[in-house]
Amino acid sequence: MIRRTFAWAVMATFCVSAATSLLSIASADAAEQEEGFVSMFNGKDLTGWEGKPGGWWVEDGTITGQSTPEKPCTAAHYLMWRGGEPADFELRLEYRLVGGNSGIQFRSREIPNWDTRGYQADMEAGEQWSGALFEHARGGIAMRGTKVVIDEKGNKQVTTFADPAELQKKIKADDWNDYRIVAKGSRITLEINGVLMAEADDHQEGQAARKGVIALQMHPGPPMKVQFRNLRIKNMAD
């Protein structure tokens, strides 16, 4: 009788635990749907993405790119998201970078050889570029710890709101970090792990892009490995 009672108790506990887990998952899914986010990656293959043959693959449920001494990356190439060319949006993802440099292109234009030009939410294994807004034609648009306003002629007004070295401490080396990109009209904000890293209000004629492709970067240079997961986007177009 004691054994039977114990068995029922264990079963009841398991059922309650399982039900709680299912409810938590359902609640999370419902919350994400209510927020309007759409998944960009199925966690299984590169459906919806396109890049250099052999340059990207799925490993342990993550989009992965890697260079090694035996197989170096000699020229930058990008994995293009084929879900459209968003204008106003919020993009959230997790990344892990071991060595080297990488980034997330957005409002960019695609050019031959799996290359791009445009805004990039930067990341690196060093201490200068992670959390900065980069752009191929103009270099560092807004470095970590700054808010930048650029007028129609390209003149920049820079305000420092935080110590970049202190912000760097919020970024986990060789581990998973959350990246959040918000682009709305002329304004762009970058956050890592829930902390504001950089902000730009870009009005420069002929340079400030208002829509374009999203892509993930494989950077040339020393051996490195970059992985992305849990990519999702919310369209904020009026």
Side-chain angles (χ1 to χ4, degrees):
M1 183 67 180
I2 293 175
R3 290 178 180 177
R4 183 178 298 177
T5 301
F6 176 75
W8 278 108
V10 171
M11 185 177 294
T13 301
F14 173 79
C15 290
V16 170
S17 177
T20 301
S21 298
L22 289 172
L23 285 172
S24 297
I25 294 171
S27 298
D29 290 344
E32 188 163 277
Q33 290 173 3
E34 288 175 2
E35 291 178 3
F37 282 89
V38 175
S39 176
M40 303 169 71
F41 171 51
N42 64 19
K44 300 177 182 179
D45 56 41
L46 295 178
T47 298
W49 297 81
E50 190 176 13
K52 180 180 179 180
W56 298 88
W57 59 92
V58 176
E59 179 181 303
D60 298 328
T62 73
I63 295 175
T64 302
Q66 184 175 15
S67 64
T68 65
E70 297 75 25
K71 189 178 179 182
C73 177
T74 57
H77 62 87
Y78 296 80
L79 184 68
M80 314 290 179
W81 183 57
R82 295 310 190 194
E85 297 187 2
D88 294 342
F89 65 89
E90 179 177 341
L91 171 63
R92 299 179 185 178
L93 58 78
E94 295 173 75
Y95 77 89
R96 178 167 61 188
L97 178 65
V98 179
N101 181 293
S102 184
I104 307 147
Q105 294 293 133
F106 61 97
R107 287 185 173 179
S108 296
R109 58 187 176 89
E110 185 176 350
I111 61 177
N113 299 317
W114 307 108
D115 206 350
T116 66
R117 291 292 183 271
Y119 293 124
Q120 181 184 115
D122 217 330
M123 64 183 75
E124 66 163 344
E127 298 186 353
Q128 180 179 6
W129 286 101
S130 292
L133 178 63
F134 174 84
E135 199 241 28
H136 292 85
R138 295 177 287 173
I141 298 292
M143 301 305 291
R144 186 175 62 247
T146 67
K147 295 183 179 181
V148 178
V149 178
I150 307 175
D151 69 16
E152 291 82 356
K153 295 182 179 180
N155 300 310
K156 296 175 70 171
Q157 178 182 345
V158 181
T159 303
T160 299
F161 68 86
D163 181 352
E166 290 301 312
L167 291 178
Q168 177 69 36
K169 295 176 182 179
K170 305 296 183 181
I171 303 171
K172 294 174 281 187
D174 301 337
D175 203 351
W176 288 103
N177 293 277
D178 295 314
Y179 221 133
R180 178 174 179 257
I181 303 166
V182 179
K184 180 71 172 177
S186 62
R187 190 178 297 276
I188 296 167
T189 60
L190 305 181
E191 296 179 5
I192 296 180
N193 297 329
V195 179
L196 179 64
M197 294 284 156
E199 183 176 302
D201 191 3
D202 190 3
H203 300 269
Q204 186 171 352
E205 293 181 1
Q207 296 289 346
R210 293 292 180 262
K211 71 172 186 175
V213 300
I214 289 174
L216 309 177
Q217 184 190 46
M218 185 65 198
H219 199 283
M224 57 159 287
K225 185 174 186 178
V226 63
Q227 295 177 294
F228 300 90
R229 69 185 183 188
N230 199 18
L231 299 95
R232 63 263 197 220
I233 191 169
K234 178 170 68 173
N235 185 356
M236 298 196 302
D238 293 330

